[in-house]
């Protein structure tokens, strides 16, 4: 078998069965007619490419807006006069700078950012210059966690070295009679030094590096305090061991030695490393949602090579990366849909729960849209790929979750401001502790002073304070994504908690957005079937949105359509024409008045149907009132329950609609909606939101994200309602993959659970420091004779971080 390479897509093609085209005296082979057509349209584009160009569809706005520019510089959205060549934060307001002229970055380039300070972006791994944490890949969680492995190795080795030092120190202090008389105190100190030094200097080297960087960058942080505390304890012990004569006689023992604290330095460092290991493991768990989403996509797709008539073709499995827009793919029973696209043939039910959060399978037939990574049921489907790679809904969800996890909530400003003053204040408290104990403490004063100052530095580590908000945001946004709630940024998540008014557009939000035939009423002398048949035949020629509902209703009843002539359309009133040699008019009362037709009892009977939520059209045959046709947009099955749940959450629901008030009132009564605004034009929605805000309400607006864009932008939180690939991610702060009100209920519950979790974390972080620092400084000593060992302080410091991390991880199990 002879093969050649498709000039358009690069696939291998069998020259015996593949398509071919002759150009400039040379024959080229292609995998499909799609590639042949692309080559015919512009051969030079593929034979003489200026630059490599992947044959993918244009990136969506949400993807392009997030890519890092290669040129153009950066500016502050609040202060346009602030500009610089590299990423960073605004010197005036602290906001992360944004690109001036965004240019798409190469997909292969990996950038690294700090999970605590997203304004820090680097082209290679390293440490954050602000807090010292290891940078993480920007677009996806790292599978190969080098830092975790390194910290784990340092922890175990440091623990193995610190354990015997700790045992010797405890035995020497508490049970000196157990020590052999042949072993001198000087020898024991040298033994402790030999074991503690590698534990402190090698094991804690990353801690000291970050502490030094914090001083150089003038961003004091947790590593400043740890490095200072452990460094002081170790340095004091080395000086005391080598030069005991420089210390006051009261500090020296009968053997001439001065007490050392190698065990404190070694054990503290081991505990700090343990905290780092636990934090790194927990941080990897916060990105579990992204990892799960990334794992949803299948690795391969089954491509149908030849023209497809629905009965088969030349099929083979190819890597997912090779799928191009326009490719025809086979999705067999039980397989995952490889990319976003349209069903060409077949019928099946698909499980879309991993993307939409809805567990009920969705029926798919010819023309239906498919979402990549959803699971096919028992039927076989033939589909055409439309969005691949970074353009798929799954890729955009992953990107959106990743960006939201790195965004900063307004509540974090409290922690940031506090941390900015906290570290210098702690150093000041430690110095005061050192001075007070050194001047007025009991003998040995210097030893007590150093031990208590070290305890203050260690227990006051602000790592828990720094983790409190970001950890909850990371876990919360990931949990939302798994439930079909996509949070654009942390500010939207925080604001959503305060929302007390929800403004919803009726069509497509409360209702299905697909009108159906509901009622056919015939007056005396006319038949219902005849009324519907004539009305539907006339509406076949109309482009009115309700016309399709009447036509579909007639088809479902098995009625045949008649030919129409002399068709006329009256804008905003109705239609008229000749059907089966009979003059037929279908429209509203104004049309009847214009054509001088007596409506008789039709208006009164129409009002009764409107009070039930139907849009009613009057029908006349040969100049006589004949009947009514009622159409309604059915309320979604999930809407009533969702509105009850929103009321339980304390949210008032206001419905906007362009329908007349009678119809709107009928829908509102059925659903228990608090207030309606009927006959509203699209450009009036934003002003209604403004009026509500002027009353002091915190407003969320739910719409389709396109027609309602002004109102979505005006509301404190815009919620884009959509299904599948039609979701408008860039239009709002919150996007619901499944377009119904239950998604809003989940968003409200997620926001309130996350903000409650953040406040709990901040409480844990503050309470440890509020209680711990005074005890470490020795305020209880005059009353109870209690002092806090630096080792206990290190354990408490690590436990504060662990409690914050563990509490944040509880959000993964929150019920939405």
């Amino acid at each position: 078998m002879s093969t050649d390479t498709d000039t358009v897509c690069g696939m291998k093609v069998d020259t015996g069965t593949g398509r071919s085209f002759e150009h400039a005296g040379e024959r080229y082979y292609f995998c499909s007619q799609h590639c042949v057509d692309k080559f015919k349209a512009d051969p030079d584009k593929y034979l003489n490419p200026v630059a490599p160009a992947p044959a993918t569809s244009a990136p969506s706005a949400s993807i392009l807006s997030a890519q890092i520019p290669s040129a153009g510089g950066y500016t502050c959205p609040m202060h346009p006069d602030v500009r610089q060549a590299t990423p960073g934060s605004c010197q005036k307001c602290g906001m992360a700078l944004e690109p001036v002229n965004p240019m798409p970055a190469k997909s292969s380039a990996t950038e690294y950012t700090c999970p605590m300070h997203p304004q820090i972006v680097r082209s290679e791994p390293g440490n954050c210059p602000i807090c010292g944490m290891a940078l993480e890949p920007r677009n996806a969680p790292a599978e190969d966690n080098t830092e975790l492995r390194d910290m784990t190795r340092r922890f175990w080795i440091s623990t193995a070295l610190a354990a015997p030092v700790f045992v010797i120190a405890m035995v020497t202090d508490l049970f000196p009679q157990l020590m052999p008389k042949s072993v001198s105190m000087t020898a024991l100190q040298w033994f402790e030094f030999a074991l503690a030094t590698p534990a402190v200097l090698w094991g804690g080297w990353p801690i000291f590096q970050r502490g030094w960087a914090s001083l150089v960058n003038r961003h004091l942080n947790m590593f400043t305090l740890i490095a200072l505390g452990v460094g002081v304890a170790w340095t004091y012990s080395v000086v005391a061991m080598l030069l005991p004569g420089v210390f006051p006689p009261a500090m020296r023992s009968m053997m001439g030695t001065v007490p050392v604290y190698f065990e404190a330095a070694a054990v503290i460092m081991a505990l700090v490393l343990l905290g780092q290991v636990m934090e790194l493991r927990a941080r990897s768990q916060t990105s579990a949602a992204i990892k799960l989403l990334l794992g949803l996509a299948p690795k391969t797709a089954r491509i149908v090579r030849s023209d497809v008539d629905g009965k088969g073709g030349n099929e083979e499995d190819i890597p997912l990366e090779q799928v191009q827009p326009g490719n025809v793919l086979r999705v067999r029973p039980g397989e995952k849909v490889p990319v976003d696209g349209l069903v060409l043939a077949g019928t099946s039910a698909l499980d879309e729960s991993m993307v939409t959060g809805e567990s009920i399978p969705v029926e798919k037939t010819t023309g239906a849209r498919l979402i990549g990574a959803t699971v096919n049921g028992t039927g076989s489907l033939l589909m055409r790929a439309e969005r691949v790679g970074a353009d798929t809904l799954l890729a955009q969800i992953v990107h959106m979750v990743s960006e939201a996890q790195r965004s900063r909530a307004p509540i974090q400003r409290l922690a940031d401001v506090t941390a900015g003053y906290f570290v210098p204040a702690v150093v000041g408290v430690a110095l005061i502790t050192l001075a007070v104990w050194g001047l007025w403490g009991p003998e040995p004063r210097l030893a007590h002073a150093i031990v208590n100052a070290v305890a203050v530095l260690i227990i006051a580590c602000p790592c828990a304070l720094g983790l409190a908000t970001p950890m909850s945001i990371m876990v919360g946004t990931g949990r939302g994504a798994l439930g079909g709630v996509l949070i654009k940024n942390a500010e939207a998540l925080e604001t959503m908690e305060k929302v007390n008014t929800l403004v919803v557009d009726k069509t497509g939000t409360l209702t299905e957005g697909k009108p159906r035939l509901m009622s056919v009423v015939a007056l005396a002398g006319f038949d219902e079937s005849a009324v519907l048949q004539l009305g539907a035949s006339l509406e076949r020629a109309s482009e009115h949105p309700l016309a399709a509902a009447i036509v579909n209703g007639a088809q479902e009843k098995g009625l045949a359509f008649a030919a129409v002539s002399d068709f006329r359309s009256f804008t905003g009133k109705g239609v008229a024409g000749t059907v089966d040699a009979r003059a037929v008019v279908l429209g509203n009362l104004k049309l009847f008045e214009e054509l001088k037709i007596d409506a008789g009892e039709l208006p009164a009977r129409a009002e009764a149907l409107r009070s039930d939520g139907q849009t009613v059209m009057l029908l006349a045959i040969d100049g006589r009132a004949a009947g009514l046709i009622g159409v309604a947009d059915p309320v979604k099955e999930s809407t009533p329950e969702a509105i009850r749940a929103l009321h339980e959450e304390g949210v008032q629901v206001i419905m906007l609609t362009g329908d007349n008030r009678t119809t709107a009132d009928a829908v509102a009564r059925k659903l228990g909606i608090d207030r309606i605004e009927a006959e509203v034009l699209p450009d009036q929605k934003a002003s209604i939101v403004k009026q509500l805000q002027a009353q002091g309400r915190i407003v969320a607006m739910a719409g389709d994200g396109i027609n309602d864009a002004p109102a979505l932008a005006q509301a404190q939180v815009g919620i884009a309602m959509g299904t599948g690939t039609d979701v408008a991610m860039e239009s709002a702060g919150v996007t619901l993959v499944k377009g119904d009100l239950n998604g809003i209920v989940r968003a409200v519950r997620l926001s309130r659970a996350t903000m409650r979790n953040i406040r709990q974390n901040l409480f844990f972080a503050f309470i440890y420091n509020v209680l711990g620092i005074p005890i470490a400084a020795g305020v209880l000593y005059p009353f109870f004779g209690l002092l806090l060992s630096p080792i206990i302080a290190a354990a408490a410091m690590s436990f504060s971080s662990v409690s914050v991390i563990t509490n944040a991880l509880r959000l993964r199990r929150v019920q939405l």
Side-chain angles (χ1 to χ4, degrees):
M1 181 183 73
S2 176
T3 62
D4 200 348
T5 302
D6 187 323
T7 311
V8 174
C9 67
M11 295 184 184
K12 293 294 182 184
V13 183
D14 181 359
T15 56
T17 59
R19 288 164 175 72
S20 64
F21 177 73
E22 187 170 337
H23 172 73
E26 187 171 351
R27 184 160 294 278
Y28 297 90
Y29 293 87
F30 305 89
C31 68
S32 65
Q33 188 61 40
H34 176 73
C35 285
V36 175
D37 294 340
K38 293 182 74 171
F39 182 83
K40 284 181 181 180
D42 190 1
D44 289 338
K45 177 180 177 181
Y46 301 99
L47 296 178
N48 302 297
V50 176
T56 59
S57 60
S60 64
S62 60
I63 299 298
L64 284 177
S65 65
Q67 290 176 328
I68 302 302
S70 57
Y74 295 77
T75 185
C76 174
M78 297 295 104
H79 302 92
D81 55 311
V82 176
R83 288 199 176 203
Q84 64 185 55
T86 57
S89 56
C90 175
Q91 296 176 354
K92 293 184 178 180
C93 66
M95 288 186 67
L97 302 183
E98 295 182 352
V100 178
N101 296 310
M103 297 290 289
K106 293 182 180 179
S107 58
S108 59
T110 301
E111 291 177 321
Y112 296 82
T113 184
C114 174
M116 300 299 114
H117 300 89
Q119 70 269 29
I120 302 299
V121 180
R122 299 288 184 266
S123 59
E124 56 187 29
N127 295 327
C128 173
I130 297 178
C131 67
M133 293 182 72
L135 303 182
E136 296 180 350
R138 184 185 184 95
N139 296 321
E143 294 295 332
D144 180 22
N145 198 328
T146 305
E147 187 190 16
L148 176 57
R149 289 203 309 271
D150 179 59
M151 285 293 183
T152 302
R153 182 173 63 251
R154 291 177 185 273
F155 163 68
W156 284 114
I157 294 176
S158 295
T159 301
L161 294 170
V165 177
F166 178 74
V167 171
I168 291 173
M170 291 301 101
V171 170
T172 304
D173 289 344
L174 301 177
F175 309 102
Q177 66 274 15
L178 297 179
M179 295 299 298
K181 294 183 179 179
S182 58
V183 178
S184 68
M185 188 59 68
T186 302
L188 284 176
Q189 288 185 352
W190 277 98
F191 181 72
E192 291 181 14
F193 168 77
L195 293 179
T197 298
V200 171
L201 298 186
W202 175 82
W205 185 245
I207 309 299
F208 286 112
Q209 279 185 316
R210 296 172 186 183
W212 176 252
S214 72
L215 295 173
V216 172
N217 295 310
R218 297 181 183 178
H219 286 289
L220 304 185
N221 52 44
M222 59 175 281
F223 298 106
T224 315
L225 299 180
I226 295 170
L228 194 57
V230 174
V232 166
W234 182 83
T235 304
Y236 160 80
S237 300
V238 170
V239 173
M241 180 187 70
L242 296 177
L243 303 169
V246 301
F247 291 87
M251 291 186 64
R252 294 196 291 269
S253 66
M254 294 177 61
M255 301 174 63
T257 59
V258 175
V260 293
Y261 297 99
F262 287 121
E263 82 285 356
V267 173
I268 288 171
M269 190 56 73
L271 287 169
V272 169
L273 291 170
L274 173 62
Q276 289 293 295
V277 169
M278 297 182 73
E279 179 186 322
L280 288 168
R281 285 181 178 171
R283 274 165 50 197
S284 69
Q285 291 179 44
T286 64
S287 58
I290 294 182
K291 291 178 182 176
L292 179 58
L293 289 168
L294 288 171
L296 290 177
K299 299 294 185 288
T300 60
R302 190 164 188 81
I303 191 170
V304 182
R305 292 291 188 188
S306 59
D307 284 338
V308 179
D309 56 6
K311 298 181 180 179
N314 215 4
E315 301 181 10
E316 68 171 302
D317 291 331
I318 62 171
L320 187 65
E321 296 78 19
Q322 294 182 12
V323 176
Q324 305 295 332
N327 285 163
V328 177
L329 308 173
R330 171 82 64 190
V331 186
R332 292 170 291 192
E335 289 185 337
K336 291 181 178 180
V337 177
V339 295
D340 296 358
L342 280 177
V343 177
L344 297 179
T347 302
S348 186
L350 272 76
D351 179 7
E352 297 183 342
S353 60
M354 66 290 299
V355 176
T356 65
E358 299 291 335
S359 58
I360 301 174
V362 182
E363 290 289 334
K364 300 288 183 179
T365 57
T366 302
R369 291 195 174 275
L370 297 176
I371 304 174
T374 55
V375 180
N376 187 21
T378 56
S380 178
L381 295 174
L382 214 56
M383 67 172 289
R384 181 176 69 241
E386 287 197 332
R387 296 186 180 183
V388 302
D391 291 337
T392 64
L393 176 67
L394 179 65
Q396 293 188 46
I397 290 175
V398 170
H399 168 78
M400 196 170 185
V401 173
S402 179
E403 288 297 308
Q405 287 187 338
R406 287 191 297 271
S407 62
R408 296 168 74 80
I411 196 173
Q412 193 169 344
R413 293 175 193 145
L414 171 64
D416 291 343
V417 171
T418 303
Y421 295 102
F422 184 76
V423 176
V426 168
V427 173
V429 172
L431 291 175
I432 293 172
T433 302
L434 183 70
V436 170
W437 280 89
L439 293 174
W440 297 290
E443 294 293 349
R445 291 176 181 172
L446 184 58
H448 280 105
I450 290 175
V451 168
N452 291 333
V454 168
V456 168
L457 291 172
I458 297 301
I459 201 169
C461 172
C463 46
L465 190 61
L467 290 170
T469 300
M471 287 293 295
S472 297
I473 295 295
M474 292 170 76
V475 180
T477 51
R479 175 64 185 92
L482 298 179
V485 179
L486 307 181
I487 306 296
K488 190 173 183 179
N489 52 51
E491 185 172 0
L493 186 65
E494 179 173 338
T495 307
M496 193 73 193
E497 180 211 20
K498 305 169 187 172
V499 166
N500 53 27
T501 304
L502 173 66
V503 177
V504 292
D505 189 43
K506 179 177 80 74
T507 304
T509 304
L510 301 176
T511 64
E512 293 179 0
K514 298 176 181 177
R516 295 181 189 172
L517 177 68
M518 304 298 289
S519 305
V520 179
V521 177
L523 295 184
F526 296 94
D527 178 69
E528 284 188 5
S529 296
V531 168
L532 179 57
Q533 181 190 30
L534 293 173
S537 297
L538 189 62
E539 287 286 27
R540 285 183 75 192
S542 172
E543 296 181 354
H544 192 277
L546 300 180
I550 298 173
V551 172
N552 292 337
Q555 287 176 332
E556 290 173 2
K557 293 179 181 295
L559 299 179
F561 297 104
V564 179
S565 60
D566 300 328
F567 178 82
R568 290 176 293 160
S569 176
F570 299 84
T571 304
K573 298 176 183 177
V575 293
T578 302
V579 183
D580 273 347
R582 306 181 75 177
V584 181
V585 175
L586 182 66
N588 56 25
L589 187 59
K590 291 182 180 178
L591 180 59
F592 271 51
E593 291 171 351
E594 182 176 327
L595 299 178
K596 296 183 171 51
I597 298 173
D598 181 13
E601 61 181 290
L602 289 183
R605 301 186 69 170
E607 191 65 23
L609 295 179
R610 289 193 188 101
S611 65
D612 194 38
Q614 298 182 33
T615 299
V616 185
M617 285 155 281
L618 287 61
L619 182 80
I621 301 174
D622 293 330
R624 291 174 54 206
L628 302 170
I629 297 179
V631 175
D633 187 2
V635 172
K636 292 178 181 178
E637 292 181 4
S638 60
T639 299
E641 179 188 348
I643 289 179
R644 282 196 299 272
L646 286 168
H647 284 156
E648 289 173 2
E649 295 290 338
V651 178
Q652 184 183 41
V653 181
I654 299 176
M655 181 181 79
L656 302 185
T657 178
D659 292 344
N660 63 64
R661 179 159 290 277
T662 302
T663 303
D665 280 336
V667 174
R669 278 197 309 273
K670 283 182 181 178
L671 299 176
I673 289 174
D674 302 292
R675 174 179 156 190
I676 62 167
E677 294 286 344
E679 301 175 15
V680 175
L681 298 176
D683 58 355
Q684 295 175 331
K685 294 178 180 178
S687 62
I688 291 174
V689 172
K690 284 182 182 178
Q691 292 171 13
L692 293 168
Q693 291 171 330
Q695 298 169 12
R697 295 184 174 275
I698 308 298
V699 181
M701 168 71 190
D704 61 15
I706 300 170
N707 297 331
D708 300 318
L712 288 170
Q714 178 63 40
Q716 275 96 343
V717 181
I719 303 173
M721 309 286 287
T723 303
T725 52
D726 292 329
V727 69
M729 293 187 178
E730 288 303 304
S731 302
V734 177
T735 300
L736 307 178
V737 179
K738 183 77 172 177
D740 64 32
L741 285 188
N742 275 327
I744 299 180
V745 177
R746 288 196 291 269
V748 171
R749 288 174 178 167
L750 173 68
S751 172
R752 293 180 177 177
T754 303
M755 296 310 300
R756 186 165 56 246
N757 191 271
I758 288 174
R759 293 187 183 98
Q760 291 167 353
N761 283 348
L762 290 173
F763 172 78
F764 286 140
F766 278 116
I767 200 69
Y768 275 107
N769 287 315
V770 168
L771 297 179
I773 292 177
I775 295 174
V779 296
L780 297 181
Y781 184 81
F783 309 102
F784 306 103
L786 292 179
L787 288 177
L788 189 66
S789 164
I791 295 176
I792 303 300
M797 176 269 295
S798 296
F799 189 68
S800 67
S801 298
V802 171
S803 15
V804 164
I805 293 167
T806 305
N807 189 55
L809 291 177
R810 289 192 310 113
L811 283 172
R812 294 186 300 174
R813 299 186 296 275
V814 69
Q815 293 298 315
L816 300 180

